[in-house]
Amino acid sequence: MKILLLFAALVILTCSLLAAQTGPPSPELRALITEGHSLLSAGKLPEAIAKFQAALAIEQRPMPMYGLAAAYSRSGRLDASLEWARKAIEAGFMPVGRILTDPDFAAVRADGRFQTIRALVEDRQHPCLKPPEHHQFDFWLGQWSVTARTNPNNPPARSSITLAQEGCAIREEYSTPAGYAGTSLNFYDSATRSWYQTWVDNTGGVLFLRGGLQEGKMVMQSDAAVKPLNRITWSSLPDHQVQQVWETSADGGKTWTVIFDGLYKPVTGSPMS
C-alpha cells in the first residue's frame, strides 16, 4: 500500500512539474513519462530508459531528461547519467536540489565528476550570488545613520539595508525620530539588464524606479509618464559613507530640484563602521 501511495504521489508531482515548467504536456508525452517512472520504481531499468527516450523523441523536456539520468545511474552507466543530469538542470528541471538526495542517483553521486553537477545545482539554487551585476548596489548594504546634508543638525534617521531572497534583492528599512518610515525592495532584472526600486512609506507614498549603474553611481528614475519625475542617485563615498540625492522634475527632465540630499554614515558597532 505504501509503495502504491508513493508512486501515486510521484505521478502527481511529475505531472504538476511538467505543466509548471513548459506548459501542459500532450497526453502521449504524459503517459510515457508516467510509465517511465513506474518502470524505474519497479527496477525495470531498460524498459524505463526506453520510455524516457521515447518521451524525449517527442519533446526535449526536463522531466524525462531527469528520469533518464536516474535510470542510467541505477544501471551503472555513469557517463550517460552525468550527461543527462546536466541537460536536465540546464533545461530548467525543478526542484533542482532533488538530485542531491534522490536515492536513484546514489551511484553517480559517489563519482568524483558529480561535483560539476553539484556546482550547477548550487548556481541554480542561488542564481544571484555570482553574477557581478547583482552586486552593483552592494555599497549601500549596512546599518546607517542618515543626516540631511542641508540640515545636519536635525536628528538623524536610521536605515537598515540588507540582502533578501538569497541575494536576489536588497531590502531597505528607513525611519526617522519624527515617526516617518518607509520600506523599499531593490533588485536587478537580468532580462531587462536594469535595476528597480519599489518604495512605500507609512503615509501611503509610493515610488517605482528603474535604472542602473552610471559611472560608479546607482541612478534610478521614475517612468516618464509619472508627474513629477523622480530621480534618485546613490554614490559611494570615502570612509564607507554613501550619499543619496533625490530630485524631482516638473518639466520632463529639463531641470531638476533636489528635495533630499542625505549622507549615510555607518552606525557605530556595525560591520561597516
Side-chain angles (χ1 to χ4, degrees):
M1 184 65 178
K2 289 183 178 179
I3 294 176
L4 289 175
L5 289 173
L6 287 172
F7 175 64
L10 179 60
V11 170
I12 293 171
L13 176 63
T14 297
C15 294
S16 62
L17 288 174
L18 278 167
Q21 291 176 30
T22 51
S26 67
E28 181 184 6
L29 180 60
R30 185 191 300 269
L32 285 169
I33 296 174
T34 300
E35 291 168 11
H37 280 293
S38 176
L39 292 165
L40 180 63
S41 298
K44 298 180 179 180
L45 303 179
E47 294 88 344
I49 289 170
K51 292 294 183 181
F52 290 130
Q53 288 175 332
L56 288 167
I58 295 174
E59 187 177 348
Q60 295 285 307
R61 289 198 178 217
M63 279 301 295
M65 292 177 183
Y66 183 91
L68 189 57
Y72 280 141
S73 176
R74 289 184 57 182
S75 301
R77 298 171 62 179
L78 302 188
D79 288 348
S81 179
L82 288 165
E83 177 186 358
W84 283 101
R86 176 184 58 78
K87 288 181 178 180
I89 294 169
E90 291 177 347
F93 175 79
M94 295 292 288
V96 68
R98 177 177 163 189
I99 196 172
L100 301 180
T101 57
D102 190 336
D104 287 336
F105 287 88
V108 77
R109 281 198 300 270
D111 190 292
R113 294 171 296 173
F114 187 77
Q115 293 303 318
T116 60
I117 301 300
R118 190 180 299 277
L120 280 176
V121 170
E122 291 174 353
D123 286 347
R124 292 298 191 277
Q125 288 178 321
H126 309 287
C128 304
L129 294 184
K130 289 185 179 180
E133 294 83 2
H134 289 279
H135 297 280
Q136 291 173 336
F137 212 178
D138 281 6
F139 66 83
W140 198 29
L141 296 172
Q143 303 300 314
W144 306 97
S145 172
V146 186
T147 56
R149 290 160 66 97
T150 53
N151 296 290
N153 295 323
N154 285 354
R158 294 297 293 266
S159 185
S160 173
I161 315 295
T162 57
L163 290 175
Q165 303 304 327
E166 300 287 348
C168 290
I170 293 176
R171 178 184 294 277
E172 171 192 17
E173 298 289 348
Y174 182 88
S175 61
T176 71
Y180 175 76
T183 299
S184 77
L185 196 65
N186 308 262
F187 58 92
Y188 178 79
D189 182 1
S190 57
T192 61
R193 299 184 180 181
S194 297
W195 274 89
Y196 295 86
Q197 180 182 99
T198 299
W199 160 273
V200 60
D201 63 32
N202 59 359
T203 71
V206 296
L207 278 177
F208 303 99
L209 308 176
R210 175 180 177 175
L213 208 60
Q214 299 181 18
E215 298 180 349
K217 300 178 180 180
M218 182 59 68
V219 183
M220 287 192 262
Q221 183 174 314
S222 59
D223 187 88
V226 176
K227 307 297 182 185
L229 283 177
N230 288 272
R231 181 174 69 188
I232 301 180
T233 302
W234 294 262
S235 306
S236 179
L237 303 178
D239 300 323
H240 303 297
Q241 298 182 4
V242 173
Q243 181 185 12
Q244 181 191 56
V245 178
W246 182 359
E247 305 167 280
T248 62
S249 174
D251 55 13
K254 295 178 182 178
T255 59
W256 294 90
T257 300
V258 175
I259 62 171
F260 178 75
D261 184 353
L263 181 64
Y264 286 65
K265 294 183 178 180
V267 174
T268 301
S270 71
M272 298 295 292
S273 61

